mmCIF file of all heavy atoms in Angstrom:
data_model
loop_
_atom_site.group_PDB
_atom_site.id
_atom_site.type_symbol
_atom_site.label_atom_id
_atom_site.label_comp_id
_atom_site.label_asym_id
_atom_site.label_seq_id
_atom_site.Cartn_x
_atom_site.Cartn_y
_atom_site.Cartn_z
ATOM 1 N N ILE A 1 -5.797 -4.397 -5.842
ATOM 2 C CA ILE A 1 -6.678 -5.188 -4.967
ATOM 3 C C ILE A 1 -6.013 -6.548 -4.726
ATOM 4 O O ILE A 1 -5.993 -7.018 -3.545
ATOM 5 C CB ILE A 1 -8.061 -5.422 -5.668
ATOM 6 C CG1 ILE A 1 -8.722 -4.057 -5.802
ATOM 7 C CG2 ILE A 1 -8.891 -6.362 -4.860
ATOM 8 C CD1 ILE A 1 -9.971 -4.090 -6.620
ATOM 9 N N LYS A 2 -5.415 -7.186 -5.719
ATOM 10 C CA LYS A 2 -4.708 -8.415 -5.558
ATOM 11 C C LYS A 2 -3.535 -8.250 -4.586
ATOM 12 O O LYS A 2 -3.235 -9.095 -3.714
ATOM 13 C CB LYS A 2 -4.152 -8.928 -6.868
ATOM 14 C CG LYS A 2 -5.264 -9.383 -7.862
ATOM 15 C CD LYS A 2 -4.699 -9.761 -9.166
ATOM 16 C CE LYS A 2 -5.766 -10.127 -10.195
ATOM 17 N NZ LYS A 2 -5.155 -10.480 -11.527
ATOM 18 N N ALA A 3 -2.850 -7.083 -4.745
ATOM 19 C CA ALA A 3 -1.686 -6.806 -3.846
ATOM 20 C C ALA A 3 -2.130 -6.675 -2.428
ATOM 21 O O ALA A 3 -1.455 -7.162 -1.455
ATOM 22 C CB ALA A 3 -0.982 -5.567 -4.306
ATOM 23 N N GLY A 4 -3.262 -6.057 -2.225
ATOM 24 C CA GLY A 4 -3.745 -5.911 -0.843
ATOM 25 C C GLY A 4 -4.083 -7.268 -0.206
ATOM 26 O O GLY A 4 -3.751 -7.508 0.972
ATOM 27 N N LYS A 5 -4.712 -8.166 -0.988
ATOM 28 C CA LYS A 5 -4.965 -9.495 -0.463
ATOM 29 C C LYS A 5 -3.720 -10.280 -0.146
ATOM 30 O O LYS A 5 -3.629 -10.965 0.849
ATOM 31 C CB LYS A 5 -5.839 -10.258 -1.490
ATOM 32 C CG LYS A 5 -7.223 -9.720 -1.680
ATOM 33 C CD LYS A 5 -7.985 -10.495 -2.783
ATOM 34 C CE LYS A 5 -9.450 -9.848 -2.885
ATOM 35 N NZ LYS A 5 -10.193 -10.592 -3.961
ATOM 36 N N THR A 6 -2.702 -10.145 -1.031
ATOM 37 C CA THR A 6 -1.417 -10.813 -0.799
ATOM 38 C C THR A 6 -0.727 -10.284 0.462
ATOM 39 O O THR A 6 -0.208 -11.075 1.264
ATOM 40 C CB THR A 6 -0.483 -10.603 -2.001
ATOM 41 O OG1 THR A 6 -1.140 -11.111 -3.211
ATOM 42 C CG2 THR A 6 0.813 -11.324 -1.797
ATOM 43 N N LEU A 7 -0.798 -8.978 0.699
ATOM 44 C CA LEU A 7 -0.161 -8.415 1.887
ATOM 45 C C LEU A 7 -0.898 -8.888 3.141
ATOM 46 O O LEU A 7 -0.238 -9.129 4.187
ATOM 47 C CB LEU A 7 -0.193 -6.858 1.835
ATOM 48 C CG LEU A 7 0.787 -6.237 0.849
ATOM 49 C CD1 LEU A 7 0.559 -4.719 0.797
ATOM 50 C CD2 LEU A 7 2.240 -6.438 1.383
ATOM 51 N N THR A 8 -2.200 -9.018 3.098
ATOM 52 C CA THR A 8 -2.907 -9.483 4.234
ATOM 53 C C THR A 8 -2.510 -10.900 4.592
ATOM 54 O O THR A 8 -2.286 -11.325 5.757
ATOM 55 C CB THR A 8 -4.466 -9.420 4.009
ATOM 56 O OG1 THR A 8 -4.840 -8.057 3.755
ATOM 57 C CG2 THR A 8 -5.256 -9.975 5.157
ATOM 58 N N GLU A 9 -2.362 -11.735 3.541
ATOM 59 C CA GLU A 9 -1.953 -13.100 3.784
ATOM 60 C C GLU A 9 -0.538 -13.180 4.324
ATOM 61 O O GLU A 9 -0.224 -14.014 5.194
ATOM 62 C CB GLU A 9 -1.993 -13.877 2.449
ATOM 63 C CG GLU A 9 -3.425 -14.063 1.927
ATOM 64 C CD GLU A 9 -3.411 -14.666 0.488
ATOM 65 O OE1 GLU A 9 -2.308 -14.887 -0.076
ATOM 66 O OE2 GLU A 9 -4.512 -14.871 -0.058
ATOM 67 N N GLN A 10 0.356 -12.327 3.847
ATOM 68 C CA GLN A 10 1.734 -12.384 4.221
ATOM 69 C C GLN A 10 2.082 -11.727 5.525
ATOM 70 O O GLN A 10 2.955 -12.115 6.323
ATOM 71 C CB GLN A 10 2.675 -11.810 3.091
ATOM 72 C CG GLN A 10 2.658 -12.577 1.835
ATOM 73 C CD GLN A 10 3.440 -11.920 0.753
ATOM 74 O OE1 GLN A 10 3.840 -10.780 0.823
ATOM 75 N NE2 GLN A 10 3.674 -12.695 -0.333
ATOM 76 N N THR A 11 1.398 -10.588 5.778
ATOM 77 C CA THR A 11 1.724 -9.769 6.980
ATOM 78 C C THR A 11 0.635 -9.683 8.006
ATOM 79 O O THR A 11 0.866 -9.232 9.108
ATOM 80 C CB THR A 11 2.112 -8.345 6.536
ATOM 81 O OG1 THR A 11 0.913 -7.675 6.058
ATOM 82 C CG2 THR A 11 3.204 -8.394 5.489
ATOM 83 N N GLY A 12 -0.642 -10.028 7.598
ATOM 84 C CA GLY A 12 -1.716 -9.908 8.527
ATOM 85 C C GLY A 12 -2.343 -8.513 8.557
ATOM 86 O O GLY A 12 -3.337 -8.280 9.260
ATOM 87 N N THR A 13 -1.798 -7.569 7.792
ATOM 88 C CA THR A 13 -2.349 -6.219 7.808
ATOM 89 C C THR A 13 -3.767 -6.142 7.269
ATOM 90 O O THR A 13 -4.111 -6.876 6.316
ATOM 91 C CB THR A 13 -1.420 -5.245 6.962
ATOM 92 O OG1 THR A 13 -1.858 -3.930 7.109
ATOM 93 C CG2 THR A 13 -1.479 -5.610 5.449
ATOM 94 N N GLN A 14 -4.592 -5.295 7.882
ATOM 95 C CA GLN A 14 -5.988 -5.133 7.384
ATOM 96 C C GLN A 14 -6.130 -3.694 6.799
ATOM 97 O O GLN A 14 -7.148 -3.459 6.124
ATOM 98 C CB GLN A 14 -6.910 -5.280 8.638
ATOM 99 C CG GLN A 14 -6.883 -6.617 9.271
ATOM 100 C CD GLN A 14 -7.348 -7.727 8.337
ATOM 101 O OE1 GLN A 14 -8.315 -7.548 7.548
ATOM 102 N NE2 GLN A 14 -6.632 -8.872 8.340
ATOM 103 N N TRP A 15 -5.163 -2.837 7.066
ATOM 104 C CA TRP A 15 -5.161 -1.536 6.463
ATOM 105 C C TRP A 15 -4.036 -1.434 5.475
ATOM 106 O O TRP A 15 -3.003 -2.118 5.587
ATOM 107 C CB TRP A 15 -4.970 -0.393 7.496
ATOM 108 C CG TRP A 15 -6.183 -0.242 8.427
ATOM 109 C CD1 TRP A 15 -7.266 -1.053 8.468
ATOM 110 C CD2 TRP A 15 -6.281 0.752 9.462
ATOM 111 N NE1 TRP A 15 -8.154 -0.540 9.442
ATOM 112 C CE2 TRP A 15 -7.580 0.502 10.003
ATOM 113 C CE3 TRP A 15 -5.531 1.804 9.916
ATOM 114 C CZ2 TRP A 15 -8.056 1.312 11.099
ATOM 115 C CZ3 TRP A 15 -5.998 2.547 10.962
ATOM 116 C CH2 TRP A 15 -7.233 2.327 11.504
ATOM 117 N N TYR A 16 -4.179 -0.564 4.452
ATOM 118 C CA TYR A 16 -3.161 -0.525 3.386
ATOM 119 C C TYR A 16 -2.860 1.017 3.092
ATOM 120 O O TYR A 16 -3.724 1.834 3.206
ATOM 121 C CB TYR A 16 -3.722 -1.109 2.098
ATOM 122 C CG TYR A 16 -4.389 -2.442 2.312
ATOM 123 C CD1 TYR A 16 -5.814 -2.558 2.461
ATOM 124 C CD2 TYR A 16 -3.680 -3.635 2.398
ATOM 125 C CE1 TYR A 16 -6.407 -3.711 2.607
ATOM 126 C CE2 TYR A 16 -4.282 -4.855 2.604
ATOM 127 C CZ TYR A 16 -5.652 -4.901 2.749
ATOM 128 O OH TYR A 16 -6.229 -6.100 2.957
ATOM 129 N N VAL A 17 -1.611 1.197 2.791
ATOM 130 C CA VAL A 17 -1.117 2.538 2.458
ATOM 131 C C VAL A 17 -0.918 2.571 0.947
ATOM 132 O O VAL A 17 -0.171 1.711 0.385
ATOM 133 C CB VAL A 17 0.131 2.993 3.178
ATOM 134 C CG1 VAL A 17 0.481 4.392 2.861
ATOM 135 C CG2 VAL A 17 -0.030 2.773 4.657
ATOM 136 N N VAL A 18 -1.559 3.516 0.263
ATOM 137 C CA VAL A 18 -1.453 3.599 -1.189
ATOM 138 C C VAL A 18 -0.514 4.794 -1.486
ATOM 139 O O VAL A 18 -0.827 5.965 -1.095
ATOM 140 C CB VAL A 18 -2.828 3.838 -1.858
ATOM 141 C CG1 VAL A 18 -2.682 3.870 -3.406
ATOM 142 C CG2 VAL A 18 -3.762 2.776 -1.455
ATOM 143 N N LYS A 19 0.641 4.545 -2.158
ATOM 144 C CA LYS A 19 1.638 5.572 -2.339
ATOM 145 C C LYS A 19 1.946 5.752 -3.801
ATOM 146 O O LYS A 19 2.311 4.725 -4.500
ATOM 147 C CB LYS A 19 2.952 5.147 -1.613
ATOM 148 C CG LYS A 19 2.773 5.018 -0.109
ATOM 149 C CD LYS A 19 4.192 4.701 0.471
ATOM 150 C CE LYS A 19 4.115 4.640 2.012
ATOM 151 N NZ LYS A 19 5.477 4.434 2.572
ATOM 152 N N ALA A 20 1.885 6.948 -4.280
ATOM 153 C CA ALA A 20 2.235 7.280 -5.672
ATOM 154 C C ALA A 20 3.778 7.073 -5.816
ATOM 155 O O ALA A 20 4.558 7.485 -4.901
ATOM 156 C CB ALA A 20 1.932 8.723 -5.982
ATOM 157 N N GLN A 21 4.214 6.476 -6.880
ATOM 158 C CA GLN A 21 5.645 6.216 -7.148
ATOM 159 C C GLN A 21 6.137 7.229 -8.236
ATOM 160 O O GLN A 21 5.986 6.996 -9.387
ATOM 161 C CB GLN A 21 5.861 4.794 -7.555
ATOM 162 C CG GLN A 21 5.480 3.757 -6.491
ATOM 163 C CD GLN A 21 6.293 3.912 -5.256
ATOM 164 O OE1 GLN A 21 7.480 3.530 -5.243
ATOM 165 N NE2 GLN A 21 5.744 4.525 -4.166
ATOM 166 N N VAL A 22 6.570 8.350 -7.743
ATOM 167 C CA VAL A 22 7.191 9.335 -8.634
ATOM 168 C C VAL A 22 8.465 9.789 -8.022
ATOM 169 O O VAL A 22 8.666 9.664 -6.818
ATOM 170 C CB VAL A 22 6.229 10.564 -8.855
ATOM 171 C CG1 VAL A 22 4.971 10.142 -9.524
ATOM 172 C CG2 VAL A 22 5.900 11.232 -7.541
ATOM 173 N N HIS A 23 9.339 10.347 -8.855
ATOM 174 C CA HIS A 23 10.652 10.861 -8.351
ATOM 175 C C HIS A 23 10.463 12.284 -7.819
ATOM 176 O O HIS A 23 10.918 13.243 -8.429
ATOM 177 C CB HIS A 23 11.680 10.773 -9.450
ATOM 178 C CG HIS A 23 12.060 9.411 -9.853
ATOM 179 N ND1 HIS A 23 12.850 9.145 -10.992
ATOM 180 C CD2 HIS A 23 11.796 8.203 -9.313
ATOM 181 C CE1 HIS A 23 12.950 7.842 -11.110
ATOM 182 N NE2 HIS A 23 12.357 7.262 -10.086
ATOM 183 N N ALA A 24 9.858 12.409 -6.688
ATOM 184 C CA ALA A 24 9.630 13.707 -6.003
ATOM 185 C C ALA A 24 9.234 13.460 -4.587
ATOM 186 O O ALA A 24 8.548 12.538 -4.279
ATOM 187 C CB ALA A 24 8.582 14.487 -6.801
ATOM 188 N N GLY A 25 9.704 14.380 -3.704
ATOM 189 C CA GLY A 25 9.299 14.351 -2.331
ATOM 190 C C GLY A 25 8.022 15.132 -2.112
ATOM 191 O O GLY A 25 7.470 15.739 -3.018
ATOM 192 N N GLY A 26 7.528 15.070 -0.927
ATOM 193 C CA GLY A 26 6.224 15.777 -0.550
ATOM 194 C C GLY A 26 5.042 15.179 -1.134
ATOM 195 O O GLY A 26 4.010 15.854 -1.344
ATOM 196 N N ARG A 27 5.030 13.877 -1.393
ATOM 197 C CA ARG A 27 3.838 13.238 -2.095
ATOM 198 C C ARG A 27 2.661 13.275 -1.216
ATOM 199 O O ARG A 27 1.488 13.438 -1.738
ATOM 200 C CB ARG A 27 4.220 11.756 -2.408
ATOM 201 C CG ARG A 27 5.331 11.605 -3.486
ATOM 202 C CD ARG A 27 5.801 10.163 -3.546
ATOM 203 N NE ARG A 27 6.382 9.687 -2.328
ATOM 204 C CZ ARG A 27 6.564 8.457 -2.015
ATOM 205 N NH1 ARG A 27 6.229 7.449 -2.855
ATOM 206 N NH2 ARG A 27 7.175 8.121 -0.863
ATOM 207 N N GLY A 28 2.798 13.117 0.106
ATOM 208 C CA GLY A 28 1.658 13.130 0.971
ATOM 209 C C GLY A 28 0.933 14.460 0.905
ATOM 210 O O GLY A 28 -0.324 14.536 0.865
ATOM 211 N N LYS A 29 1.715 15.554 0.892
ATOM 212 C CA LYS A 29 1.069 16.889 0.856
ATOM 213 C C LYS A 29 0.309 17.123 -0.424
ATOM 214 O O LYS A 29 -0.622 17.919 -0.475
ATOM 215 C CB LYS A 29 2.163 17.986 1.027
ATOM 216 C CG LYS A 29 2.831 17.961 2.356
ATOM 217 C CD LYS A 29 3.973 19.005 2.494
ATOM 218 C CE LYS A 29 4.698 18.901 3.821
ATOM 219 N NZ LYS A 29 5.814 19.884 3.861
ATOM 220 N N GLY A 30 0.752 16.446 -1.514
ATOM 221 C CA GLY A 30 0.075 16.622 -2.810
ATOM 222 C C GLY A 30 -1.035 15.628 -3.019
ATOM 223 O O GLY A 30 -1.653 15.637 -4.115
#
């Protein structure tokens, strides 16, 4: 949540993409 607020302040973005950080491709499909 804090990261989202920081990104809004720095970039103006109102939408956020939440991405799992694992060493594997095809994360979106999973």
Side-chain angles (χ1 to χ4, degrees):
I1 296 170
K2 293 177 184 176
K5 292 178 179 177
T6 301
L7 283 174
T8 299
E9 293 171 0
Q10 293 177 347
T11 69
T13 187
Q14 298 297 319
W15 291 6
Y16 315 97
V17 186
V18 185
K19 299 183 175 185
Q21 298 297 284
V22 295
H23 292 167
R27 293 170 297 164
K29 295 177 182 177

